[in-house]
Amino acid sequence: MSTRVVDTSKSPYAKLRPVPVEEVELKNGFWAKRLKKLREVTIPSQYELLENTGRIFNFRRAAGREKGGFQGLVFNDSDVYKWVEAVGFLLASGFDEKLHSVVEKVVNDICAAQDDDGYLNTFFTFENRAQRWTNLRAMHELYCAGHLIQAAIALRRATGDEKLFNAAVRFANHILRVFGPDGRPGTPGHPEIEMAMVELYRETGDHRYLNMAKTLIDNRGKGIVGGDVNLIDHKPFRQLDEIVGHAVRSLYLNCGATDLYMETGEREIWNVLEKLWSNMVKCKMYVTGGVGSRYDGEAFGFNYELPNVQAYAETCAAIANFMWNWRMFLASGEARFVDVMELALYNGVLAGISLNGKEYFYVNPLADRGRHRRQEWFECACCPPNVARLIASLPGYFYSLSEDGIWVNMYDENVARLKFRGEEVSIFQKTDYPWGGRVEITLGLEHESAFSMFLRIPGWSKRVEVSLNGSKIDEKAKPGFYFRIDRIWRNGDTIELYFEMEIRKISCNPLVYENLGRIALGRGPLMYCFEEVDNTGFDVWDLLIPEDATLRAEWVPNLLDGVTVIRGEGYVQDSDWKQDSLYTEIEASSRIRKVSFTAIPYYAWANREPGAMCVWARLMPKTV
Amino acid sequence: MSTRVVDTSKSPYAKLRPVPVEEVELKNGFWAKRLKKLREVTIPSQYELLENTGRIFNFRRAAGREKGGFQGLVFNDSDVYKWVEAVGFLLASGFDEKLHSVVEKVVNDICAAQDDDGYLNTFFTFENRAQRWTNLRAMHELYCAGHLIQAAIALRRATGDEKLFNAAVRFANHILRVFGPDGRPGTPGHPEIEMAMVELYRETGDHRYLNMAKTLIDNRGKGIVGGDVNLIDHKPFRQLDEIVGHAVRSLYLNCGATDLYMETGEREIWNVLEKLWSNMVKCKMYVTGGVGSRYDGEAFGFNYELPNVQAYAETCAAIANFMWNWRMFLASGEARFVDVMELALYNGVLAGISLNGKEYFYVNPLADRGRHRRQEWFECACCPPNVARLIASLPGYFYSLSEDGIWVNMYDENVARLKFRGEEVSIFQKTDYPWGGRVEITLGLEHESAFSMFLRIPGWSKRVEVSLNGSKIDEKAKPGFYFRIDRIWRNGDTIELYFEMEIRKISCNPLVYENLGRIALGRGPLMYCFEEVDNTGFDVWDLLIPEDATLRAEWVPNLLDGVTVIRGEGYVQDSDWKQDSLYTEIEASSRIRKVSFTAIPYYAWANREPGAMCVWARLMPKTV
């Protein structure tokens, strides 16, 4: 059992290999609470919803076990697969007989729906059977297949399941027959199958799956799915120089291409990925790590097109951003990718699920008037099980390994028992990250051992201190890079990290016209927002923060399951909120008054009574 | 000859009837200069482009007079028609043998391309003949037909032309056969035909055309063209309650519906139009009168979705806005509609054409970094001839008539010789509007006569004075309404109007998050912008204007063909324009410094060297 999210153990062009989910136990900290909620609330409630909305029924129907029509959208199978994948990761973290029996039941339903030839998609049965593979652009068969393969691999790695895995392999082989070397040219309207095929290659060692992934990527830009920009089919992958199109599709494609690169080492692919990544982080990513700013086509906008109220920023796109950066990091070992993962995770992704664990955002605006609320489910319910599988897999990202040593990527209270060079290395992380910037890492070793510890210094940290067994290390730790300590490590060696978590006033590139003259507040990996319920007597959209405002972080245990809020004094220039017309002449003197304000972490917004919210506050300029 | 733009002379539900273009001579003023440029530069250069791009060739080809393939886009015929319509209005204003012979040549080419059955569209000839009327959604046949009819009516009214008019009637009759009472259900993907059919009814008295218009409008929302919101086919017209979809299509449809209302008086239609109008002006119109904020689908966005840099605001949409408001005004006699016409005309429309009369904007951003420049032509060249026909028709909007009297709608130096109650009434307007707010109106009458003069008081005016023969009238003139003077008028009677043209600092409804805390400057009907070339030493995007800033209007005769600029003192908070990353922590203290700034009329931007531009400047709040 070694439930790696992406298993680069044998990938020749990967710098790092992940640590299996089951080797890391998140305990008592920020994410432990979320994982508990996931197990106790989210996963059971999603199971119920998958049943109640006919998503699991569709499999039983396809198997001929139940009567009735296909229910819901054509890609609904994928929601079930993502849920199964989530359960796989959860079972890896902590086996649970009851959960296991539920997932086995679902697996049985899935497998019974498979055709003799390996084909498996509940929409294309009975009356729709003849339509199989006739509309790669819109019908999401390869997308669903990819999710099946990912789920099957996760479940197999977690529990040794062979049943779903065999079904996935049979479907994969069916796909090889249709679109492989002797088949016809194909590529999906919605990427996903690419990374799944590479992972299946990693799981089986069968090169045909790797080649299939390569072919599917190579087939982009040939008009097979219509040649649209939105489907990233307007150009061959290797000619892409701007990140465009449907954000989730674009980023899933990049995941697959990064996976391919880690196996083949093709520089041309890496260069494209680097270009797309730079374009994204420099021109197209929200300060929350959300991406895909445009409603139309759920797409990346133009450079610097980052509206706040009209932000689309689908939860799945933030998840895809996390997934891609994980792969870019495994390929390169560069901390900048983990910075983006962390940013997306704590903000753009986490906002996607309510504190009670059963309501979801699909769209994530950065400013709102109180109308945008999380929903229990969606007709197109891609986001809920996607959040679930990401959170369930979280233990798998905290550490990774190279030949040289152990990499500490993320920080949260945990105990890890890693297999490194054939021995077990225990790591005890004590921290209240993301609320505080102190981390104590103690090693448990059977024998002393020479290796490197690579410690990620978050890009946001200003002052960093690193101590070893109580002595400060003089060498400067550079934010946005890994700090390496080479040493013969002994049992009980303790590294102390201190990342100064001062509140950051963040400005935006002025080319984002909408954010010009505005600031956002951040602290550690968290971005903050101003929500009406915490700020009475004024409208948060009217807030002005002086650039030299003194801001205070305050831990409030009873608020929003415990959060550190930011408090400060600012000004308010009251807008005319009763204004009916679009444009009016301004009053001779508008009222400016002092106010105290409170900001909460962005992920926690819209968990109380509805009201105005914004991330970017106007900067109050100092007069000369 | 009575070249009314919309001839409501006999429309039972119209409050007003327009004055023919030829009765009003714009002299020496703001628009006279533009009309001269239109006649001398724009119209000849567009003719050349229509020839050089194959648009007129397509007609000769269709007639079998020239060989080769169809050139350009499927709706290119409409560009020729709009140009012919523009020439019609110009010939009404001032006959010109040479221009007339050019247009006759074009008319000959057009007419030769007509089929025996009346069908006329150069794309659907030869190999495409079988495709006629098979794709109403996308192929724009009814749209082109509408433009043909409008052009033919304008030319007939201006010159007595019967040739093009007969061709238009024959095509209209063909359409009646296909889509009329005994035909099949039809409605266009791109409205335009509706208003043309109503006008043809007005021109001929043949009710079949009116009924055809009604049928085409009634057929919306039935899925004939696909049921899309973007095509305003998602609902029956009478159920619309929000202005949505492709802006030009939406507004052309509203034009047709308003025309229909003026003939039928159906309240349900008027109520819908009122609702759509309110929604547009309260939630979806730029401060320039531009509309259709969204790139995708060239469409109206959500309420308050009015981005500046990513404004689409197609020139044609501002023109359509003008056209629709003209009809709403004729129907109602309400000044609020003329306010919108004027706003759109002097800003959103006029920005669409360069000062040299031969370069055009298709898209009209309200903030730019200097990359957006007018082009000589476009592959989809709807805007250039649309601007031309609107400007050519301008004399037709300055006055209108009711039973009671004469309505003065717009102000500019002109001499009008109106036919009113069977006599000629001369009106001499002396003014330097839009630069100044004084207007002197002298009446020339053969006999004294009792009637009302209705004088539009622009909605933007603050202090208004009205004098009659040198004596102030005590009664308050209300901005945004017509001021009525009942009197037995004598030859030489003179009305003096004074609209105080103070510079307005305009704020936006705070729900437009992007404009919150910003102001725009306006003076009279003109909106202003800050352009880099006038403002050295700082970036105009960084400008802050104190709410109590003293602003000065200054006439600069040598600048941009003569403009009144706005000058003032503000502050600048320098952004980091070299910033490469999207997000950075702000410096401890950013520099604020005093600067002098200059603003120019928005219509005149991008006529000099490229540089940054914006309409909305940040408001510098006063500290307490």
Side-chain angles (χ1 to χ4, degrees), chain B residues 89-100:
Chain B
F89 294 128
L90 278 186
L91 292 175
S93 280
F95 194 77
D96 170 321
E97 199 58 62
K98 200 178 141 208
L99 185 56
H100 187 237

Side-chain angles (χ1 to χ4, degrees), chain A residues 280-288 294-297 302-310 343 366-367 369 460 462 502-519 541-542 544 547-548 571 573 575-577 579-594 613-624, chain B residues 280-288 294-297 302-310 343 366-367 369 460 462 502-519 541-542 544 547-548 571 573 575-577 579-594 613-624:
Chain A
M280 179 179 76
V281 301
K282 289 186 180 179
C283 305
K284 301 198 182 187
M285 185 174 76
Y286 283 105
V287 74
T288 57
R294 199 184 274 175
Y295 265 73
D296 288 86
F302 299 123
N303 287 344
Y304 310 108
E305 179 184 343
L306 293 166
N308 290 295
V309 173
Q310 272 96 30
L343 180 72
L366 276 75
R369 297 302 304 165
W460 49 260
K462 270 223 152 152
E502 72 180 22
I503 297 161
R504 281 164 295 136
K505 296 180 188 122
I506 296 164
S507 73
C508 190
N509 190 309
L511 291 168
V512 182
Y513 184 81
E514 176 154 357
N515 290 341
L516 212 158
R518 289 182 176 269
I519 55 167
W541 281 28
D542 287 335
L544 290 149
E547 55 188 16
D548 55 0
Y571 294 91
Q573 182 171 36
S575 295
D576 180 3
W577 288 99
Q579 183 177 332
D580 183 41
S581 61
L582 254 182
Y583 306 107
T584 47
E585 210 173 325
I586 60 168
E587 305 284 317
S589 76
S590 54
R591 293 146 290 162
I592 293 264
R593 55 201 174 89
K594 276 197 174 163
M613 181 280 290
C614 60
V615 169
W616 292 96
R618 287 165 59 203
L619 191 61
M620 175 81 187
K622 245 193 316 197
T623 42
V624 264
Chain B
M280 180 180 75
V281 301
K282 289 186 181 179
C283 304
K284 301 198 182 188
M285 186 174 74
Y286 283 104
V287 74
T288 57
R294 199 184 275 177
Y295 265 72
D296 288 86
F302 300 123
N303 286 345
Y304 309 108
E305 180 184 343
L306 293 165
N308 290 294
V309 173
Q310 271 94 33
L343 180 71
L366 276 77
R369 298 301 305 165
W460 49 259
K462 268 224 153 152
E502 73 180 22
I503 298 161
R504 283 165 293 135
K505 297 181 188 118
I506 295 163
S507 74
C508 189
N509 188 309
L511 290 169
V512 182
Y513 185 81
E514 177 154 359
N515 290 342
L516 213 159
R518 290 179 175 271
I519 56 169
W541 282 27
D542 286 334
L544 288 149
E547 57 188 16
D548 56 0
Y571 294 90
Q573 181 171 37
S575 295
D576 180 3
W577 289 100
Q579 184 177 333
D580 183 42
S581 61
L582 253 181
Y583 307 107
T584 47
E585 210 172 327
I586 61 167
E587 303 285 315
S589 76
S590 54
R591 293 146 291 164
I592 293 265
R593 55 203 175 91
K594 277 196 174 166
M613 180 280 289
C614 59
V615 170
W616 293 95
R618 286 164 60 199
L619 190 61
M620 175 82 186
K622 244 193 318 197
T623 42
V624 266

Side-chain angles (χ1 to χ4, degrees), chain A residues 479-546:
Chain A
F481 290 85
Y482 276 78
F483 184 74
R484 179 176 185 158
I485 309 177
D486 295 319
R487 177 182 159 82
I488 299 168
W489 296 93
R490 299 207 178 105
N491 189 39
D493 274 354
T494 298
I495 301 163
E496 283 169 294
L497 298 167
Y498 174 63
F499 313 124
E500 192 181 81
M501 267 197 188
E502 72 180 22
I503 297 161
R504 281 164 295 136
K505 296 180 188 122
I506 296 164
S507 73
C508 190
N509 190 309
L511 291 168
V512 182
Y513 184 81
E514 176 154 357
N515 290 341
L516 212 158
R518 289 182 176 269
I519 55 167
L521 302 183
R523 184 172 177 275
L526 297 171
M527 290 306 306
Y528 279 71
C529 69
F530 310 94
E531 203 177 19
E532 185 169 326
V533 56
D534 303 304
N535 296 280
T536 48
F538 67 97
D539 195 292
V540 293
W541 281 28
D542 287 335
L543 183 63
L544 290 149
I545 301 182

Side-chain angles (χ1 to χ4, degrees), chain B residues 161-194:
Chain B
D161 160 275
E162 293 295 341
K163 181 159 187 168
L164 190 65
F165 185 72
N166 284 337
V169 167
R170 286 175 60 212
F171 195 12
N173 293 342
H174 175 99
I175 291 168
L176 291 184
R177 288 193 297 277
V178 179
F179 300 108
D182 304 321
R184 58 190 171 91
T187 204
H190 195 315
E192 155 70 26
I193 182 73
E194 302 82 355

Side-chain angles (χ1 to χ4, degrees), chain A residues 437-449:
Chain A
R438 290 197 185 280
V439 185
E440 189 190 284
I441 293 170
T442 304
L443 299 188
L445 294 164
E446 287 164 44
H447 312 96
E448 55 177 53
S449 171

Side-chain angles (χ1 to χ4, degrees), chain A residues 135-148:
Chain A
N135 186 348
L136 295 179
R137 175 188 168 84
M139 300 306 271
H140 290 62
E141 284 159 288
L142 288 167
Y143 169 81
C144 289
H147 278 300
L148 168 62

Side-chain angles (χ1 to χ4, degrees), chain A residues 297-340:
Chain A
E298 309 187 309
F300 284 103
F302 299 123
N303 287 344
Y304 310 108
E305 179 184 343
L306 293 166
N308 290 295
V309 173
Q310 272 96 30
Y312 195 72
E314 187 187 338
T315 303
C316 278
I319 292 169
N321 192 13
F322 180 98
M323 289 165 59
W324 181 34
N325 275 283
W326 175 236
R327 286 161 173 81
M328 293 294 278
F329 169 64
L330 292 176
S332 67
E334 292 183 33
R336 59 186 167 131
F337 300 116
V338 188
D339 278 341
V340 176

Side-chain angles (χ1 to χ4, degrees), chain A residues 423-440:
Chain A
E423 296 207 1
E424 185 175 279
V425 177
S426 299
I427 301 183
F428 305 89
Q429 250 198 60
K430 294 196 77 65
T431 179
D432 65 343
Y433 199 94
W435 308 119
R438 290 197 185 280
V439 185
E440 189 190 284

